[in-house]
Amino acid sequence: MAKKFIDIMDTTFRDGFQSVFGGRVLMDDFFPAVEAAKHAGITHFEFGGGARFQSLYFYLNEDAFTMMDRFRAIVGPDANLQTLARGVNTVMLDTGSKELIDLHAKMFKKHGTTTIRNFDALNDVENLKYSGERIVHHGLKHEVVVTMMDLPPGCFGAHDVAFYEKTLREILDSGIPYNSICFKDASGTSSPKKVYETIKMARALVPEGTHLRLHTHETAGVSVAAYLAALEAGIDGIDMAASPVSGGTSQPDILTMLHATKGMDYDLGGLEIDKILAYEKVVAHCLDDYFMPPEATMVSPLIPFSPMPGGALTANTQMMRDNNILDRFPEVIDAMREVVEKGGYGTSVTPVSQFYFQQALNNVMQGPWKAIAPGYGRMVLGYFGKTPVAPDPEVVRIASEKLHLEPTTEKVLDLTDADETKSLAHWIKILEKEGIETTEENIFIAAACHEKGITFLKGEAEVNVRKKSDMKCAEPTQTNQNNEGTNSMGTGSYTVVVDGQKFSVQVAEGDANIQVTAVNGESTSTPKTSVDGTTIKALLPGAVWKIVANPGQSVAEGDVILILESMKMEIDVVAPKGGVVRSINVNVNDKVVEGQVVAVIG
């Protein structure tokens, strides 16, 4: 009897990159590996979308559409190139209008996409209807998704087989057009038994011949067992990645699954071990200079209790490294449990996973529920759709008070279409004001990435990639021409502590000495401000995004003085009491550290 053919999607160049490097891999560095994958016989790739869309503009100074075009040119016209979309959010962290949802499908079709995997983190089927319709309208294959995870112990009411059956029935009854159905577990926390029972349920429920897939991660250490359970239950496709961006926070390795299914009646994509070995050598060579975060290759026994997706975990730890607070990561993961329990059980996958993380970070850094992350607050208030269960009433009350928003039960698309800032006309006007060509690609980049998209389109974006060769260049000990060791801090930003007060110092190394050009965000050309009065400190590390108040201005208690950008959040820095702004001690784009004085009022 012939073995059952299992379609394999190679996630190396999307989810693999996202899970291990936070999406920060330059296209010219990895394209030789794409060529090697083609020669290894791989014909189905995840090549863009999701957080990997924004990461190119945020960190790489590269255009995602150009990357997609070049990827298609390498693999040829017949390969199935797949992207990831978040229903009404598409590839944005915020919800989009009908115009933007349509433009997303149109642009991704134009730039080489075959299939779009389309999910809603809340499993609110209403959020999948219009996006699925537009995907099919523009000639793309639509893979509709049920998102999965295991809840923390003691939590009930969602994320069991009955809940997934209810969600699947809603999808089938809604009339959403689809070509395949995926069960997606971004945190890898679903137990193999639940996976088996869910796939068996789905196989019995869907029309005969429906293509069913499972997507999971190794973060919790059960991905191979979950895939084997899914195969036994009748799955048609699974996702895998190539070393060194496999396992750990990513998908199981292709070679691992080929080994795990030896002697079984499954043909994994017609793939051959020798060809995959050769392909993985090329991937390893292409990525050899990239810094591999140790947490990216680890399995965490805590993840089932505080479900953090592999694709978000390293992105967040990398940001914490940037802000010198990585030592707080265990506390944040621990705090996620309560955030999930009280947030309505949305699946821990982008953007909800980021909402969970941001709120957990706030609870650790500022005190439990003292500050509400905007995304988390809007989620519990209903602005992203209906959560699987009702959020904690007290958290809803706090979110409403902090964000000055009332809870809503309106449909997300009705809310977004009423928001002028999510219209094409709004973004066209911004592009015209900035002198940027109003192509459809540029409109979507600006709408998806906001200020950072505009920065990219103006040619002002910077590259932020962690390579080992760059780290070596920045080593503090150097040898001069006389072979004498010299101690140098090197160029960069440093945090120093004086009398218990943290200061941010930018250092530029000259020919003869080290020059301090800024202390506490103040240029040395700026007169020192008086410290008399009440100091206002940054509660989180980050960068100054906007200064709202000016010296000499009268403010009331709670008025916003300035706004920081930290961990993909906009953090309001407010006046602790009424008074007059004595000084603003930072400038726009300055990096600040936790506890740094950013303003003084008196």
Side-chain angles (χ1 to χ4, degrees), residues 325-453:
I325 55 171
L326 186 58
D327 60 307
R328 309 299 295 272
F329 181 69
E331 297 175 68
V332 177
I333 286 294
D334 186 55
M336 269 192 68
R337 178 171 177 171
E338 181 185 22
V339 170
V340 172
E341 290 174 349
K342 295 187 175 182
Y345 300 167
T347 315
S348 194
V349 60
T350 305
V352 169
S353 58
Q354 198 64 20
F355 300 160
Y356 285 155
F357 181 84
Q358 290 168 345
Q359 187 57 51
L361 181 71
N362 277 350
N363 286 358
V364 168
M365 304 296 289
Q366 303 187 53
W369 309 106
K370 297 295 184 184
I372 295 292
Y376 185 85
R378 287 168 59 83
M379 178 185 72
V380 300
L381 291 171
Y383 287 85
F384 288 93
K386 184 179 179 182
T387 54
V389 302
D392 181 85
E394 179 62 13
V395 170
V396 172
R397 183 193 67 78
I398 296 171
S400 180
E401 180 182 288
K402 296 285 188 182
L403 300 184
H404 307 292
L405 283 173
E406 291 299 318
T408 183
T409 57
E410 286 191 63
K411 292 180 180 180
V412 174
L413 277 180
D414 291 340
L415 292 169
T416 55
D417 277 345
D419 186 345
E420 189 275 333
T421 66
K422 296 180 179 180
S423 68
L424 294 184
H426 172 79
W427 291 104
I428 290 171
K429 185 183 298 184
I430 288 177
L431 291 178
E432 289 175 342
K433 181 180 178 181
E434 296 288 349
I436 299 169
E437 186 180 3
T438 56
T439 64
E440 289 182 312
E441 286 85 352
N442 288 354
I443 294 168
F444 189 77
I445 290 166
C449 302
H450 291 209
E451 289 80 9
K452 290 186 178 180

Side-chain angles (χ1 to χ4, degrees), residues 295-349:
E295 65 275 9
T297 60
M298 295 167 56
V299 167
S300 171
L302 297 179
I303 292 300
F305 305 97
S306 301
M308 169 57 68
L313 192 150
T314 49
N316 288 320
T317 56
Q318 295 283 47
M319 286 189 288
M320 294 186 82
R321 275 192 181 87
D322 289 344
N323 289 290
N324 298 314
I325 55 171
L326 186 58
D327 60 307
R328 309 299 295 272
F329 181 69
E331 297 175 68
V332 177
I333 286 294
D334 186 55
M336 269 192 68
R337 178 171 177 171
E338 181 185 22
V339 170
V340 172
E341 290 174 349
K342 295 187 175 182
Y345 300 167
T347 315
S348 194
V349 60

Side-chain angles (χ1 to χ4, degrees), residues 79-394:
N80 183 0
L81 296 187
Q82 188 160 318
T83 61
L84 187 66
R86 313 178 190 114
V88 291
N89 293 71
T90 63
V91 292
M92 302 178 282
L93 287 179
D94 198 3
T95 52
S97 64
K98 286 184 176 179
E99 290 180 327
L100 291 176
I101 291 170
D102 179 76
L103 186 58
H104 162 258
K106 183 180 181 180
M107 290 298 95
F108 275 59
K109 171 63 176 179
K110 178 180 177 180
H111 292 282
T113 304
T114 309
T115 304
I116 293 183
R117 176 178 287 173
N118 186 36
F119 71 90
D120 180 68
L122 302 181
N123 278 311
D124 185 341
V125 175
E126 191 65 39
N127 289 343
L128 296 172
K129 291 179 180 178
Y130 186 75
S131 54
E133 174 196 317
R134 302 323 291 168
I135 287 168
V136 173
H137 171 82
H138 286 288
L140 293 150
K141 293 181 179 179
H142 180 215
E143 185 164 284
V144 69
V145 175
V146 176
T147 58
M148 302 177 68
M149 71 174 184
D150 263 17
L151 293 173
C155 295
F156 304 96
H159 291 290
D160 53 17
V161 179
F163 173 74
Y164 299 137
E165 179 175 354
K166 173 178 174 292
T167 304
L168 181 56
R169 285 186 183 276
E170 288 179 6
I171 290 172
L172 297 175
D173 293 343
S174 71
I176 297 171
Y178 66 88
N179 301 88
S180 54
I181 298 172
C182 177
F183 291 85
K184 177 179 172 64
D185 185 348
S187 58
T189 53
S190 294
S191 68
K193 183 176 186 294
K194 186 175 78 171
V195 167
Y196 175 82
E197 293 176 351
T198 298
I199 302 305
K200 288 290 284 186
M201 171 275 297
R203 180 55 69 202
L205 190 60
V206 300
E208 186 176 352
T210 300
H211 184 85
L212 297 179
R213 303 190 65 86
L214 178 68
H215 171 93
T216 191
H217 289 243
E218 177 61 5
T219 320
V222 295
S223 64
V224 174
Y227 274 161
L228 291 175
L231 289 169
E232 185 180 351
I235 207 76
D236 300 304
I238 57 176
D239 300 348
M240 300 185 294
S243 177
V245 291
S246 58
T249 55
S250 183
Q251 281 70 60
D253 192 89
I254 300 171
L255 290 171
T256 299
M257 284 308 303
L258 288 173
H259 179 70
T261 54
K262 279 181 181 177
M264 302 177 75
D265 291 329
Y266 306 112
D267 174 4
L268 301 190
L271 302 179
E272 301 174 19
I273 289 177
D274 288 344
K275 291 182 179 180
I276 298 301
L277 280 167
Y279 160 45
E280 292 202 352
K281 286 182 181 179
V282 178
V283 179
H285 177 73
C286 288
L287 301 176
D288 180 63
D289 195 26
Y290 281 80
F291 168 67
M292 180 77 71
E295 65 275 9
T297 60
M298 295 167 56
V299 167
S300 171
L302 297 179
I303 292 300
F305 305 97
S306 301
M308 169 57 68
L313 192 150
T314 49
N316 288 320
T317 56
Q318 295 283 47
M319 286 189 288
M320 294 186 82
R321 275 192 181 87
D322 289 344
N323 289 290
N324 298 314
I325 55 171
L326 186 58
D327 60 307
R328 309 299 295 272
F329 181 69
E331 297 175 68
V332 177
I333 286 294
D334 186 55
M336 269 192 68
R337 178 171 177 171
E338 181 185 22
V339 170
V340 172
E341 290 174 349
K342 295 187 175 182
Y345 300 167
T347 315
S348 194
V349 60
T350 305
V352 169
S353 58
Q354 198 64 20
F355 300 160
Y356 285 155
F357 181 84
Q358 290 168 345
Q359 187 57 51
L361 181 71
N362 277 350
N363 286 358
V364 168
M365 304 296 289
Q366 303 187 53
W369 309 106
K370 297 295 184 184
I372 295 292
Y376 185 85
R378 287 168 59 83
M379 178 185 72
V380 300
L381 291 171
Y383 287 85
F384 288 93
K386 184 179 179 182
T387 54
V389 302
D392 181 85
E394 179 62 13

Side-chain angles (χ1 to χ4, degrees), residues 37-105:
K38 175 185 175 182
H39 291 307
I42 296 172
T43 60
H44 188 180
F45 298 88
E46 188 180 38
F47 83 131
R52 174 79 179 147
F53 181 83
Q54 290 174 319
S55 67
L56 273 72
Y57 302 103
F58 284 16
Y59 306 116
L60 304 181
N61 193 24
E62 292 185 342
D63 179 19
F65 294 124
T66 299
M67 184 278 294
M68 293 161 67
D69 291 340
R70 292 180 62 186
F71 199 114
R72 171 59 77 184
I74 293 171
V75 298
D78 298 326
N80 183 0
L81 296 187
Q82 188 160 318
T83 61
L84 187 66
R86 313 178 190 114
V88 291
N89 293 71
T90 63
V91 292
M92 302 178 282
L93 287 179
D94 198 3
T95 52
S97 64
K98 286 184 176 179
E99 290 180 327
L100 291 176
I101 291 170
D102 179 76
L103 186 58
H104 162 258

